[in-house]
Amino acid sequence: MIYLDYNASTPLDDAAREAMLPYLGRSYGNPSSSHAAGRPLREAIEKARAQVAELLGATPEEIIFNSGGTEGCNHVIKGVAYALRDRGKHIITSAIEHAAVLNACRFLEQQGYEITYLEVDSNGRVDPKAIAHEVRHDTILISIMHANNEVGTIQPIAEIAEIAREGGVFMFTDAAQSCGKIETRVDRLGVDFLTVAGHKLYAPQGIGALYIRRGVTLEALHHGAGHQQGRRSGTEPSALIVGLGAAAEVTRKYEGTARLSVLRDRLYDGLRHSLGDQVVILGHPTNRLPNTLCVGFRGRIGADVLSACLEICASTGTACHSGRRERSATLAAMNVPEEIAFGAVRFSVGRHTTEWEIDSAVEQLIRAVPSVRTADR
Ligand SMILES: Cc1ncc(COP(=O)(O)O)c(C=O)c1O
């Protein structure tokens, strides 16, 4: 297996697994109990909170743990909408957000909220000026992802956050893909809310974190016994949280990002060398995640290309709905022609990817692409 799908999920980091083990065995109890069985779990959770806060340039009180990226996006979008419903019902987002944002916004539309879905350019970039143009007296939130999951394009979040601040509007960035790949310090980005998905960060699946700037009111999604300052009730999953904390610390100290972009470019150069303009890069040519290479194999179907390379694990950018092939929302918003978009494959490398794997993937792909049938629309 050649795993080139780190944007979908990452393997668990060894240090994170080690750190979790005691909380899967001998250390049990409820972290909210003040007795001897509960106290060590509380201490472990608070250590993890500090580790995540340090990675994000936040303070521990500004971090809550949750189940991952989807929950964080829902919490911010619905939580701001409910908390500020007397002030306004307008939210600005982009057409290329993850479904966790888009579908939370669509849900709010059914409750009488108005959502502006901004278009992007052909590189998948949102124009901050277009955002400034859309801010109104009743705008309550701007929600723009830090980096796109399919093409990896990085958005000018600090600039957009400045516009939000000037307009007195809350700013949220979904950093599920960017955290661990590029810097995601909230003090530099200037955002009010930021989500982290553990399983994209070499932590376990089912755990995430949400940064909520100190003093900001956000309605809770989970009402209960008031855990995590009342922001997210429910007994904390100690082992998962400890895993996320350890993974955050490893990430903060990680120095191999430059290696990721070398591997990513080696993959593209290898494909381009043999396939020429049959392979088209999708996303921003330079300002994109160091590990992400989304390409369109011109005139082919991405799923066919991957089916012909059984060892390679990667993602395709098209889906079949009611028998009709459709471009992903991101590629459609970028106006990528169907001839290229249908052949889209996202390769994402990670800490364990080797040069050998890249060269072997290139070999398999350049053999497979000419052999798969051309796309019939
Ligand atoms: C940009 C982005 N946001 C949100 C999510 C959802 O995160 P999770 O899988 O942790 O719910 C993902 C997952 O792919 C993502 O890529």
Side-chain angles (χ1 to χ4, degrees):
M1 179 173 98
I2 302 175
Y3 190 73
L4 299 176
D5 210 7
Y6 281 75
N7 284 10
S9 219
T10 51
L12 182 60
D13 181 84
D14 287 343
R17 184 185 301 104
E18 279 297 307
M20 288 169 71
L21 285 175
Y23 304 95
L24 294 166
R26 65 183 149 76
S27 215
Y28 56 89
N30 190 314
S32 296
S33 302
S34 51
H35 53 57
R39 277 197 309 272
L41 280 83
R42 171 59 49 209
E43 280 162 21
I45 288 173
E46 296 316 320
K47 178 179 170 197
R49 208 185 298 280
Q51 287 167 315
V52 172
E54 194 160 357
L55 175 67
L56 300 181
T59 60
E61 315 82 77
E62 294 174 311
I63 303 298
I64 63 163
F65 293 112
N66 58 22
S67 64
T70 299
E71 184 181 328
C73 294
N74 272 269
H75 189 173
V76 173
I77 290 165
K78 294 174 189 168
V80 169
Y82 293 151
L84 299 188
R85 62 178 172 266
D86 294 334
R87 214 187 88 192
K89 291 194 161 184
H90 178 233
I91 292 175
I92 300 172
T93 189
S94 84
I96 64 163
E97 300 295 308
H98 188 270
V101 167
L102 292 177
N103 286 334
C105 287
R106 287 188 191 119
F107 169 78
L108 287 178
E109 279 177 316
Q110 293 162 16
Q111 325 283 313
Y113 288 80
E114 204 186 318
I115 315 289
T116 298
Y117 300 93
L118 284 171
E119 288 307 322
V120 293
D121 67 16
S122 59
N123 291 327
R125 193 172 180 275
V126 175
D127 179 3
K129 285 199 212 76
I131 295 191
H133 186 72
E134 297 292 344
V135 174
R136 317 189 310 213
H137 70 282
D138 59 343
T139 307
I140 50 174
L141 179 68
I142 298 174
S143 172
I144 302 290
M145 70 201 322
H146 194 191
N148 181 267
N149 41 305
E150 284 178 57
V151 296
T153 299
I154 300 167
Q155 303 297 345
I157 295 301
E159 210 179 319
I160 298 170
E162 186 66 41
I163 293 166
R165 204 168 23 253
E166 279 166 14
V169 176
F170 281 135
M171 175 73 204
F172 165 48
T173 196
D174 169 6
Q177 283 300 342
S178 57
C179 189
K181 299 173 188 141
I182 55 174
E183 189 186 80
T184 48
R185 288 185 63 93
V186 293
D187 46 358
R188 304 230 172 95
L189 293 172
V191 295
D192 299 296
F193 311 102
L194 179 144
T195 47
V196 174
H199 71 107
K200 319 271 189 198
L201 196 63
Y202 304 83
Q205 297 179 341
I207 185 70
L210 174 61
Y211 160 78
I212 306 172
R213 191 165 59 76
R214 187 198 307 251
V216 167
T217 313
L218 183 70
E219 187 57 61
L221 278 188
H222 294 199
H223 298 95
H227 302 78
Q228 305 201 70
Q229 309 165 52
R231 294 200 186 275
R232 209 268 191 181
S233 286
T235 299
E236 297 99 324
S238 312
L240 298 179
I241 289 174
V242 166
L244 178 57
E249 185 159 335
V250 172
T251 296
R252 188 169 58 78
K253 295 176 178 161
Y254 184 68
E255 288 178 345
T257 309
R259 194 185 81 90
L260 298 184
S261 55
V262 169
L263 291 169
R264 176 197 69 180
D265 295 345
R266 187 179 179 101
L267 177 58
Y268 177 64
D269 293 344
L271 294 175
R272 183 84 191 168
H273 180 73
S274 295
L275 298 172
D277 67 359
Q278 282 185 73
V279 58
V280 180
I281 204 160
L282 301 171
H284 199 284
T286 52
N287 199 15
R288 65 180 206 280
L289 293 175
N291 78 321
T292 305
L293 175 69
C294 186
V295 293
F297 293 105
R298 192 189 295 276
R300 314 282 156 171
I301 305 294
D304 292 348
V305 172
L306 288 182
S307 302
C309 305
L310 286 177
E311 280 178 22
I312 300 177
C313 302
S315 291
T316 57
T318 39
C320 235
H321 293 299
S322 325
R324 222 192 105 69
R325 215 177 298 288
E326 279 177 20
R327 292 174 293 183
S328 71
T330 299
L331 299 184
M334 288 164 58
N335 262 321
V336 178
E338 290 190 343
E339 184 206 14
I340 295 166
F342 288 167
V345 177
R346 178 195 69 187
F347 302 99
S348 45
V349 303
R351 290 179 198 163
H352 305 291
T353 309
T354 62
E355 278 186 8
W356 180 88
E357 286 180 307
I358 294 293
D359 294 346
S360 172
V362 168
E363 232 173 77
Q364 293 183 35
L365 286 160
I366 59 181
R367 229 181 304 126
V369 171
S371 74
V372 300
R373 69 192 163 93
T374 48
D376 49 342
R377 284 178 221 162

